[in-house]
Amino acid sequence: MTERSGIPGEGLAKGLAVTLRTMTRRSTTQQYPDVAPELPPRSRGVIALLEENCTVCMLCARECPDWCIYIDSHKEEVTVPGAARPRQRNVLDRFDIDFSLCMYCGICVEVCPFDALYWSPEFEYAEYDIKDLLHDKDHLGEWMGTVPPPPAHDRNGEPAKEETSAARKATAPARPTAVRPERGPAAGGGTNP
């Protein structure tokens, strides 16, 4: 048997001391419904959709581990002046996200090559019925107004590829255009007698 060391009731005294210390401090209760909480920047609330940028590439739906993104589209022909034939483009008919299945991993936002999906800090979208957590493209588009602007670039970091190529083009000297000689009998382009 092991022998206990210490004073009897020492644990009780330590517990009461913690309780007394806590009772003397001011409480830091946030009055949530009346006062909006201060969220950290770039917090993840809900996924917002910028419909104009969506090309219906289906990457977000394919990469989603929960399969909670539903997309439907159709093709339209676009006539381009001067083109030999009309081109086709995808038109988004349906873009729904089922937030009752979503685990907010952010994979869909990361894989979108055209920046159509963004994180919005909006978090107050609870519903009484689980079926109402399926949000369509119009509802997702409304949340674009709450998306914060992207953070500024780090001055000490590496510049983006687009910035370096634009700077290189701006500082490059203009190339002289080569003038081609006219081809004709005097220039040696005619027939020999």
Side-chain angles (χ1 to χ4, degrees), residues 54-105:
C54 184
T55 61
V56 196
C57 66
M58 305 289 284
L59 275 174
C60 55
R62 278 186 269 150
E63 295 296 326
C64 179
D66 291 333
W67 292 85
C68 64
I69 300 175
Y70 310 105
I71 301 174
D72 288 331
S73 67
H74 70 276
K75 292 191 181 287
E76 268 184 7
E77 285 194 353
V78 179
T79 56
V80 179
R85 59 188 168 110
R87 296 186 180 166
Q88 289 187 345
R89 73 178 185 105
N90 289 326
V91 178
L92 185 65
D93 293 329
R94 175 184 180 209
F95 192 102
D96 295 347
I97 298 179
D98 191 353
F99 285 107
S100 65
L101 297 175
C102 182
M103 65 179 179
Y104 304 93
C105 63

Side-chain angles (χ1 to χ4, degrees), residues 16-28:
L16 287 173
V18 170
T19 303
L20 287 173
R21 266 197 317 265
T22 306
M23 284 176 52
T24 59
R25 291 186 194 151
R26 286 187 60 103
S27 64
T28 57

Side-chain angles (χ1 to χ4, degrees), residues 92-152:
L92 185 65
D93 293 329
R94 175 184 180 209
F95 192 102
D96 295 347
I97 298 179
D98 191 353
F99 285 107
S100 65
L101 297 175
C102 182
M103 65 179 179
Y104 304 93
C105 63
I107 293 174
C108 58
V109 176
E110 295 296 323
V111 300
C112 183
F114 301 103
D115 292 333
L117 298 174
Y118 291 90
W119 279 113
S120 167
E122 186 68 38
F123 64 93
E124 297 172 323
Y125 57 94
E127 300 288 344
Y128 288 107
D129 192 2
I130 197 167
K131 291 182 277 186
D132 294 334
L133 286 172
L134 181 70
H135 294 297
D136 62 349
K137 65 179 179 175
D138 298 328
H139 201 162
L140 297 173
E142 291 172 6
W143 283 321
M144 275 305 296
T146 62
V147 173

